[in-house]
Amino acid sequence: MTPISQGHEITAASRLEHVRYAIRDLACVADEVVKQGHKVLPLNVGDPLSFDFQTPPHIIEAVYKAMRDGKNGYAPSPGVPEAIEAIRGEAGRKGITTVRDVFVTAGVSETVDLCLSALVNPGEDVLTPCPDYPLYSAVLCKLGIVLNAYDLNEDDAWQPELADIERKLTPRTRGIVLINPNNPTGSLCTRQMLEQVAELARRHNLIVFSDEIYDKLILDGTPHLAFAAIAPDVPCVTFGGMSKNYLVPGWRIGWGIVSGDAAAVKAYTEGVHRLLRARLCANHPEQYAIRPALEGPQDHLIEVQRKLRSRRDLTQKWCEATPRVSCVAPRGAFYAYPKIDIPESDEIFVKELIRQKHVMVVHGSGFGQKPGTQHFRIVFLPDEQTLTRAYAGIAEFIRERYGNS
Ligand SMILES: Cc1ncc(COP(=O)(O)O)c(C=O)c1O
């Protein structure tokens, strides 16, 4: 008897059609170039460990010890108590006085997924920034939620555009996402902006999701302002994690800090905990690095900030000196988001740049941008020599393909 075979195509859910992750999608083009024997200069992936940054040894020791001490089973769903206590302490140092709950997740990526999933019903929406870190739109697409994006204003150092937020608010809007410091623009929200967003949240009963994963990577010496510290009464989940500040993106450790009026956040927090229990727990031994990271020596940050400042300055100088390119100077994280004046799409620009000069950046359309504008995102984590070579390649490409004016 011939075995029965199932020849019908198994299709993916149609709600995934709009899920894009341009950063990784470009990898196919890079693979072509690598197969031809070229080395690609990677200014596209925000992983410090791919460059000259090292994990502080004492936090590696803490995980190693946790494994040796038998912390290899499932952890409590919200996280291990010593990690939760340490994150509460960190919230205090950030000036957050109304902490109602803390939970540990598999990176901020999982915090985003859980917090959005616990909030929205079909037909409701959440305001997300444009440009945005693409995970937000991907999770909302996965939930079948129609995107409702508000503009960041390039002419105002990429601050959220309040008038656009007001325009986009509907009776079914439940929350608003802030990314501060921002990916992809490297901008920081001003105190006044945070106060205005808080006022809006109060008036429209919104929860604020404040993604502060880069809060220790501030490059201009100003203190970082946590939204929840500015607006202690407003329901808020502050997202933080180990990936960037403590140089361990592969460990997958992040967290959420719920703050605001206790009665206002109670039911929502219980919803988040249902989801936390359903997915069992975050990585267990890695959670034992949270306390030593947050409470131990912070020396690595001085070195990280020094390198990033110098690489940011080099990047900014190049943007200012290069025809067709202009850029709002980044103030935090390790991203720059220059505007480029070219007669074709930024996606073609980026793909041809990889093919012809073997330099990899990400097109602005992968993050969202105002219609009629073109951008690309630079990750300025590589050392000065690599950046200089990459920028020479990009400038040459622009001159050859578009001319200098
Ligand atoms: C703004 C922002 N939020 C969240 C994440 C995801 O971080 P994690 O590694 O903690 O999942 C990233 C990663 O690049 C990011 O840039």
Side-chain angles (χ1 to χ4, degrees), residues 304-323:
V304 170
Q305 286 170 4
R306 187 190 61 72
K307 285 181 178 173
L308 291 183
R309 216 172 284 128
S310 150
R311 293 167 198 187
R312 186 270 314 264
D313 292 346
L314 190 153
T315 303
Q316 192 58 25
K317 266 198 202 130
W318 175 79
C319 289
E320 282 163 15
T322 306

Side-chain angles (χ1 to χ4, degrees), residues 1 6 10 33 79 108 127 152 174 214 224 315 340 367 390 392:
M1 228 171 80
Q6 205 286 70
I10 310 294
V33 174
V108 169
L127 282 158
L152 302 180
R174 302 287 313 282
Y214 299 100
H224 178 257
T315 303
I340 178 159
F367 302 94

Side-chain angles (χ1 to χ4, degrees), residues 21 46 106-110 112 133 135-136 179 181 183 211 213-214 241-244 249 252-254 335:
Y21 201 79
V108 169
S109 302
E110 195 190 26
V112 171
Y133 175 62
L135 175 65
Y136 288 92
I179 305 177
N183 177 5
D211 184 336
I213 189 170
Y214 299 100
M242 299 275 286
S243 294
K244 316 288 178 171
R252 314 308 302 127
I253 292 290
Y335 307 105

Side-chain angles (χ1 to χ4, degrees), residues 92-106:
R93 285 186 291 279
K94 281 165 73 71
I96 307 175
T97 53
T98 54
V99 177
R100 306 301 174 200
D101 191 48
V102 165
F103 51 88
V104 183
T105 53

